[in-house]
Amino acid sequence: MQIAVLGAGSMGHGIAQVSAMAGHDVVLRDIEEEFVEDGLEGIRANLRGGVDRDKISADEMEATLERIEGTTDLTGAVADADLVVEAVPEDMDLKQEVFADVEEATGEDTIIASNTSSLSVTEMASALEHPERAVGLHFFNPPHIMDLVEIVVAEQTDDRTEEFAVDYVRGIEKEDVVVRDTAGFATSRLGLALGLEAIRMVEQGVASPADIDEGMEIGYGHPMGPLELTDHVGLDVRLHIAEHLREELGERFKPPQSLRRKVRAGNLGKKTGEGYYVWEDGERVGMSGEWGGDE
Ligand SMILES: NC(=O)c1ccc[n+]([C@@H]2O[C@H](COP(=O)([O-])OP(=O)(O)OC[C@H]3O[C@@H](n4cnc5c(N)ncnc54)[C@H](O)[C@@H]3O)[C@@H](O)[C@H]2O)c1
């Protein structure tokens, strides 16, 4: 199959890589030559890591790279594509513009997908003359490691498009879950509900962040507790999603005070060195605030 991936950033280059590894021919498009090159270099680095860890052979790495072409030319990228996946920044106007431009430059049967993590695919699809070919393909970061893809079915998505999406996801050896296009889809909504409740429990002094996380890790088998996960994702990102879900789904997603306070103070989690934990050189070294000191 011929696939075009639009946007060679964090997600786009990974989506191009996993598609090419499954044998598809891929064109990776970004707006500047430099961004295309960065994306291709990211793919080379991931594949080299795979060879070093004996996950793939050097021949597989070469064959994968041969199936990927980089470009800044939108029309050339999408003209013969069976599937276009956009991974441009999370902005509705931009995504609608990209959808409309793709439709103008590609065939009638091409499936047009978005990797949005929070925006309405239904709204995006409304920019198309043939919106029944639109669908969400929500990959997780980083796409070459994470096994899940949420398939987001918009109001307009027809059965052919949904079946195509399921076949594609299974074909690249990922696991699919199919969800209706609602705020937060399935994973962000449930993941955030757990994260916000854990923050409220810290605020109420129910237990320390480390004890709450350990409870979920050992008691429920979660690979990472909700507070450490919040630090990994970024407190600013979680606050932004909470505000969006509160608007769409109601007060149960009201952001807790400490989340707002920490974001205002620039304590955004692992990336700034402090969130609900304190981080040094990417390692968790203690808890933040009143729980401060050793765990
Ligand atoms: N980063 C994550 O953890 C994550 C996870 C799941 C989904 N997503 C979603 O994936 C999408 C992309 O996120 P990202 O983190 O890869 O962003 P990013 O900023 O790393 O990459 C976006 C890329 O798109 C390029 N771009 C901008 N306009 C373009 C256009 N018109 N055509 C082609 N390329 C264009 C930019 O130059 C940039 O290289 C967003 O919708 C985001 O919500 C992100």
Side-chain angles (χ1 to χ4, degrees):
M1 177 160 47
Q2 180 73 42
I3 298 178
V5 179
L6 309 181
S10 310
M11 297 304 291
H13 82 268
I15 297 169
Q17 176 187 336
V18 295
S19 299
M21 286 179 77
H24 300 303
D25 291 315
V26 181
V27 183
L28 179 60
R29 191 257 166 174
D30 209 302
I31 45 178
E32 304 273 346
E33 202 56 64
E34 180 194 341
F35 303 147
V36 175
E37 209 24 70
D38 287 349
L40 293 173
E41 188 43 46
I43 295 173
R44 283 184 213 110
N46 291 343
L47 290 170
R48 256 183 250 119
V51 172
D52 290 345
R53 290 194 312 276
D54 281 333
K55 299 268 182 201
I56 56 166
S57 68
D59 285 352
E60 277 171 304
M61 169 173 167
E62 283 314 312
T64 300
L65 288 173
E66 271 172 28
R67 284 193 285 270
I68 304 173
E69 188 193 318
T71 187
T72 54
D73 170 24
L74 175 68
T75 306
V78 304
D80 297 323
D82 302 292
L83 168 67
V84 177
V85 185
E86 73 74 20
V88 306
E90 191 79 335
D91 175 290
M92 181 56 76
D93 290 343
L94 174 64
K95 298 218 187 242
Q96 285 195 328
E97 199 183 305
V98 167
F99 262 37
D101 289 348
V102 168
E103 187 167 55
E104 231 180 272
T106 195
E108 283 215 348
D109 287 337
T110 306
I111 303 294
I112 304 178
S114 171
N115 180 50
T116 182
S117 42
S118 63
L119 299 175
S120 162
V121 183
T122 302
E123 194 176 337
M124 244 174 260
S126 69
L128 296 176
E129 302 244 329
H130 293 285
E132 66 282 355
R133 53 156 113 188
V135 68
L137 288 175
H138 179 207
F139 284 81
F140 286 69
N141 192 11
H144 69 291
I145 304 283
M146 299 294 282
D147 278 335
L148 182 66
V149 180
E150 239 176 342
I151 295 175
V152 182
V153 177
E155 291 298 323
Q156 308 95 324
T157 307
D158 66 9
D159 290 347
R160 176 186 86 97
T161 304
E162 185 180 331
E163 280 160 27
F164 182 102
V166 169
D167 287 347
Y168 162 70
V169 171
R170 293 184 184 170
I172 58 170
E173 291 176 24
K174 300 282 180 203
E175 303 291 333
D176 60 284
V177 293
V178 176
V179 301
R180 269 187 42 225
D181 184 23
T182 48
F185 310 142
T187 49
S188 303
R189 179 168 168 174
L190 211 47
L192 194 74
L194 206 57
L196 296 182
E197 196 59 24
I199 293 171
R200 283 190 277 267
M201 285 163 66
V202 171
E203 289 178 0
Q204 291 164 10
V206 173
S208 72
D211 281 341
I212 291 172
D213 278 349
E214 210 172 304
M216 295 314 286
E217 286 159 19
I218 300 174
Y220 278 70
H222 290 196
M224 188 183 285
L227 294 154
E228 184 170 350
L229 184 62
T230 299
D231 273 17
H232 272 269
V233 171
L235 274 58
D236 51 336
V237 175
R238 287 223 131 168
L239 176 60
H240 182 74
I241 301 173
E243 278 166 343
H244 174 62
L245 293 191
R246 179 191 192 183
E247 225 175 270
E248 296 284 329
L249 299 170
E251 287 305 297
R252 64 189 187 278
F253 285 99
K254 182 179 173 186
Q257 275 310 313
S258 70
L259 182 61
R260 284 193 193 284
R261 267 202 319 272
K262 283 176 185 290
V263 170
R264 247 182 247 133
N267 291 329
L268 309 181
K270 192 175 174 183
K271 61 188 168 191
T272 60
E274 186 170 341
Y276 286 91
Y277 292 95
V278 178
W279 299 83
E280 271 172 31
D281 300 325
E283 297 293 322
R284 198 174 116 181
V285 293
M287 289 186 280
S288 161
E290 63 181 287
W291 302 100
D294 297 337
E295 291 177 17

